[in-house]
Amino acid sequence: MSLALGGGAAKGLAHVGVLRGLEEDGIEVAAVAGTSMGSIVGALLSRGMAAREMEAFFSAVDWSRLGRIMVRSPGGAAFSDLLRETIGEVSIEELELPFAAVCCDLDDGEEVVLGTGDLADAVRASSAIPGILPPLVVDGRTLVDGALVTPVPVAAAERLADASVLAVNVLRPPKPGQLGKRMMNRLFEGSAPAQLLEGVDTILKRHRIRLWRRKAKFPGRFEVMMQSFHIMQYNLSKLCASDLYAVEPEVGEVGWFDFHLAREIMAEGYRAYRESTIHE
């Protein structure tokens, strides 16, 4: 089965719960395509990290402290460093599991699927939320968050392997009260990988102050946001349904940057997987 993991910032942590369900059921993943947060989770999976390791890792991160560092870091330096510490220095071609990160070309609004090259750069480009993180230039193209054109990368997943596709969409509209009733405080056990946590701590120490010398030569934030919203509105109008398996966690009322709710979000992903039609 190929996975299409959608974008959604903190909401995307629900992907981890879905992965745990797949692992428990012994369902083999043939390939994974990810957009934005989905590309981060997909990259970790492609590198061989088990779902329970991801759960422990994301639960152990000091998100409040990390968020303050990210805001003060010019040009997305802290985020880029964090990705490299967490994902490692590896090319996509070296991965055992076929992987692709979906991005949007800011200049022409086209979908760009990165299935080769540096893994950390591909994930960084796919996660460049307009107005939050600056674009990343890859092979001469100015790339931003792939969710602007492909919120859930089904087509990219279909191209990676000859297998059925499971799409995980965390961008459902809010449904007040539902998430709080279904979330659980603790749904898993296990320890976070020590090396990854040490890497995060290194980043936190390295980026304590603003590095004024580093300046990114990109369009202004407002310009990026306006162009991005235009692209998004145009492309979302072209989306059509596909015949595939789907899991849609109830994370509508979770804020985009509510990473401190990591445990609850991942637990909701697991619940949604267990109640999905994939078991019928």
Side-chain angles (χ1 to χ4, degrees):
M1 176 168 284
S2 295
L3 302 181
L5 305 182
K11 303 171 190 284
L13 290 175
H15 296 315
V16 180
V18 175
L19 295 182
R20 181 157 75 90
L22 290 170
E23 289 181 5
E24 289 179 354
D25 290 348
I27 298 178
E28 184 177 352
V29 176
V32 57
T35 293
S36 198
M37 190 63 193
S39 73
I40 296 176
V41 174
L44 292 175
L45 177 65
S46 296
R47 289 232 61 189
M49 182 180 284
R52 284 192 178 272
E53 290 181 303
M54 291 188 211
E55 288 179 328
F57 172 66
F58 285 122
S59 298
V61 172
D62 185 342
W63 292 106
S64 295
R65 186 181 173 203
L66 183 59
R68 292 192 296 270
I69 294 296
M70 295 301 178
V71 170
R72 296 199 303 267
S73 175
F79 183 68
S80 296
D81 287 351
L82 179 62
L83 282 177
R84 292 198 177 278
E85 288 284 353
T86 306
I87 297 174
E89 297 282 352
V90 63
S91 68
I92 296 176
E93 294 90 333
E94 296 177 78
L95 300 174
E96 294 185 7
L97 188 66
F99 171 82
V102 176
C103 312
C104 170
D105 188 318
L106 187 63
D107 295 321
D108 58 23
E110 290 186 0
E111 177 190 73
V112 177
V113 179
L114 299 178
T116 59
D118 185 82
L119 178 62
D121 279 351
V123 173
R124 164 66 177 81
S126 180
S127 306
I129 302 174
I132 304 299
L133 287 171
L136 186 69
V137 176
V138 178
D139 295 331
R141 306 188 76 168
T142 303
L143 304 180
V144 293
D145 197 311
L148 296 174
V149 286
T150 312
V152 184
V154 173
E158 290 175 335
R159 291 192 294 267
L160 285 174
D162 183 15
S164 58
V165 174
L166 171 62
V168 185
N169 178 21
V170 300
L171 297 175
R172 299 186 68 184
K175 292 186 177 180
Q178 289 195 12
L179 183 61
K181 295 178 182 177
R182 292 174 174 172
M183 284 183 171
M184 292 168 278
N185 291 328
R186 298 180 66 89
L187 187 62
F188 54 87
E189 300 173 353
S191 302
Q195 289 183 336
L196 287 183
L197 289 179
E198 289 174 2
V200 172
D201 190 59
T202 298
I203 296 300
L204 292 173
K205 292 177 180 177
R206 186 183 306 161
H207 292 274
R208 287 181 176 176
I209 60 175
R210 185 165 182 141
L211 305 178
W212 294 99
R213 297 178 182 177
R214 302 175 69 169
K215 296 182 179 180
K217 296 181 179 179
F218 292 112
R221 287 192 176 188
F222 183 77
E223 181 183 354
V224 171
M225 290 182 68
M226 290 298 93
Q227 175 73 348
S228 299
F229 289 146
H230 176 82
I231 293 169
M232 179 173 61
Q233 291 169 357
Y234 173 74
N235 283 280
L236 289 182
S237 67
K238 299 187 300 182
L239 293 179
C240 57
S242 300
D243 292 328
L244 44 72
Y245 295 106
V247 176
E248 296 185 306
E250 296 285 355
V251 290
E253 65 181 29
V254 173
W256 290 91
F257 301 103
D258 283 348
F259 287 97
H260 63 285
L261 297 176
R263 285 178 177 269
E264 292 90 339
I265 298 169
M266 291 184 288
E268 169 56 21
Y270 181 80
R271 182 211 64 79
Y273 169 79
R274 284 292 167 214
E275 295 188 6
S276 68
T277 59
I278 190 174
H279 304 291
E280 296 179 356

